[in-house]
Amino acid sequence: MTTCKAGVMPLASQHPQAHVDIYEKQPVPFGLVRFGVAPDHPEVKNVINTFTQTAHSGRCAFWGNVEVGRDVTVPELREAYHAVVLSYGAEDHRALEIPGEELPGVCSARAFVGWYNGLPENRELEPDLSCDTAVILGQGNVALDVARILLTPPEHLERTDITKAALGVLRQSRVKTVWLVGRRGPLQVAFTIKELREMIQLPGARPILDPADFLGLQDKIKEVPRPRKRLTELLLRTATEKPGPEEAARWASASRAWGLRFFRSPQQVLPSPDGRRAAGVRLAVTRLEGVGEATRAVPTGDMEDLPCGLVLSSVGYKSRPVDPSVPFDSKLGVIPNVEGRVMDVPGLYCSGWVKRGPTGVIATTMTDSFLTGQMLLQDLKAGLLPSGPRPGYAAIQALLSSRGVRPVSFSDWEKLDAEEVARGQGTGKPREKLVDPQEMLRLLGH
């Protein structure tokens, strides 16, 4: 059986004859692990070792620099393979849809993360960090990642794989205060306790939490699930209890600060007097209605303006349609599917955010891809996939060659990897990421 996909699943290990080809738009592998995980979280990137073992297995091949939907179509892939799995994630950000969103000084957290992590399409972002205050709209893990990178002393990032360009800009940053704004309250934040703890312990920065936002919360948290309870208790302690001597001393000497603004919904990005850039955000004050997961924020009629020079929107991601032949629900931003089987298209599967929407962390996405893999294997055993040989990569290679597309193999990647590691050694970094696809292809002689 030959399978084409864009994500690593247990197909090769569960089926001794399976051969899996991975097609990737970027010239380099590892997707979200390389371009999404924060540079100061190297332990999360250890999953790369597992991916590398799989790529070396002999029954799995990586073909980078191939954009499905542009360089090769999904029908062409389905013709060449017994099964095709789409795992291309959510590569767009959800717009705020408020006036002023287009002003200079406003950008998506997704683009900002891509910029400091070396995603080629964001390498020329050049965010202006000459302001005193930044506002992040959203209270998820990505929002906390961005706040942490903005406030971390640059010398703490020098030995990470953050890009040279980003480190240079962060060294010149004048941002002293970062506000993270959410429509709902402390019980509804989307970040996890690990990321919150990192923020509380961030060198040179102190938290700003309003004890009034936490009134009556002690009673409410008795009913909530344990992870949410522990997270809220940490928030509550930080907001209402006197810090210990060590923490108090650290916060007293801190030159930077971060804060959570609850019950606020963005209505407009306010322009500077000359109208040339963002100078603040107009927020509607909200209150909560409903209970549990159905709790929603409704405006009270009050407004307040929060001055700032940088606005980063972190209100979610969305997937794009990949090919006209693949059904797509543009409202939900997913490929319609049942347990990973694409509806009305036998032999076509999906996994990850394009399957169930942009929620969860890397571990949830991996579990989800395992489930899709199991469905594919079930269909194979039930005789629902094409029988007889399929040409696989040989057919696709001929098509790509005729279209002037030069795929990047895993051994090609290992040459780029060695180059990145060598460039990083001079400055004590694990690697200096290559960010220009044309330079990557030149280094490979393509």
Side-chain angles (χ1 to χ4, degrees), residues 14-28:
Q14 298 282 321
H15 190 291
Q17 277 85 49
H19 184 98
V20 181
D21 287 338
I22 300 172
Y23 291 94
E24 165 60 45
K25 180 172 87 167
Q26 302 297 339
V28 295

Side-chain angles (χ1 to χ4, degrees), residues 273-322:
D274 63 7
R276 289 192 175 177
R277 57 174 301 105
V281 184
R282 180 155 292 161
L283 302 168
V285 180
T286 63
R287 59 182 170 78
L288 296 184
E289 275 188 1
V291 290
E293 290 300 307
T295 306
R296 60 192 190 93
V298 294
T300 63
D302 292 337
M303 292 280 179
E304 69 178 37
D305 292 348
L306 185 54
C308 65
L310 177 67
V311 180
L312 293 153
S313 68
S314 185
V315 293
Y317 294 78
K318 62 179 184 182
S319 298
R320 298 175 187 159
V322 70

Side-chain angles (χ1 to χ4, degrees), residues 94-401:
R94 220 170 267 287
L96 292 167
E97 296 177 350
I98 59 173
E101 186 174 8
E102 72 298 330
L103 284 167
V106 182
C107 86
S108 71
R110 184 195 182 282
F112 191 80
V113 170
W115 167 72
Y116 66 63
N117 272 334
L119 183 61
E121 68 194 59
N122 300 129
R123 69 186 186 275
E124 289 166 6
L125 186 70
E126 292 180 13
D128 182 354
L129 306 185
S130 63
C131 58
D132 176 79
T133 303
V135 168
I136 301 171
L137 301 170
Q139 293 182 335
N141 276 345
V142 174
L144 279 198
D145 274 351
V146 168
R148 195 179 66 253
I149 294 296
L150 279 170
L151 294 174
T152 295
E155 60 271 20
H156 289 236
L157 296 171
E158 282 170 355
R159 296 192 179 276
T160 72
D161 66 2
I162 193 167
T163 66
K164 187 179 178 180
L167 189 58
V169 173
L170 288 165
R171 279 202 182 103
Q172 303 298 316
S173 171
R174 293 185 196 160
V175 175
K176 292 282 180 279
T177 306
V178 176
W179 290 106
L180 297 104
V181 176
R183 289 176 299 122
R184 298 190 292 171
L187 262 179
Q188 287 81 33
V189 295
F191 51 72
T192 48
I193 195 163
K194 177 183 178 284
E195 278 68 22
L196 174 63
R197 205 175 277 124
E198 282 181 309
M199 285 302 289
I200 292 167
Q201 295 166 355
L202 192 64
R206 63 186 174 85
I208 309 169
L209 298 172
D210 184 352
D213 288 334
F214 296 85
L215 290 172
L217 214 58
Q218 197 72 58
D219 295 330
K220 288 181 186 169
I221 59 175
K222 288 171 186 166
E223 276 83 64
V224 300
R226 189 167 178 268
R228 169 71 65 186
K229 187 180 179 190
R230 286 175 60 233
L231 172 68
T232 313
E233 282 171 345
L234 179 56
L235 275 172
L236 198 58
R237 282 199 304 275
T238 309
T240 60
E241 292 180 13
K242 197 178 171 188
E246 197 178 308
E247 207 158 59
R250 197 158 49 78
W251 291 350
S253 65
S255 60
R256 296 176 173 189
W258 61 275
L260 297 168
R261 297 291 278 267
F262 297 110
F263 311 111
R264 300 289 185 274
S265 177
Q267 302 302 298
Q268 182 187 351
V269 177
L270 302 168
S272 55
D274 63 7
R276 289 192 175 177
R277 57 174 301 105
V281 184
R282 180 155 292 161
L283 302 168
V285 180
T286 63
R287 59 182 170 78
L288 296 184
E289 275 188 1
V291 290
E293 290 300 307
T295 306
R296 60 192 190 93
V298 294
T300 63
D302 292 337
M303 292 280 179
E304 69 178 37
D305 292 348
L306 185 54
C308 65
L310 177 67
V311 180
L312 293 153
S313 68
S314 185
V315 293
Y317 294 78
K318 62 179 184 182
S319 298
R320 298 175 187 159
V322 70
D323 189 290
S325 72
V326 179
F328 191 78
D329 184 328
S330 50
K331 193 174 177 199
L332 295 176
V334 296
I335 295 171
N337 70 91
V338 178
E339 296 183 311
R341 298 176 176 100
V342 176
M343 288 169 74
D344 305 323
V345 192
L348 187 63
Y349 302 82
C350 58
S351 75
W353 282 9
V354 79
K355 169 184 169 183
R356 60 187 169 78
T359 56
V361 293
I362 290 174
T364 19
T365 306
M366 285 178 71
T367 305
D368 177 76
S369 67
F370 296 156
L371 292 172
T372 295
Q374 295 300 338
M375 296 302 116
L376 194 160
L377 292 169
Q378 274 181 29
D379 291 351
L380 177 68
K381 282 179 190 161
L384 298 174
L385 297 182
S387 57
R390 287 281 166 120
Y393 179 64
I396 302 303
Q397 185 181 26
L399 287 173
L400 294 173
S401 181

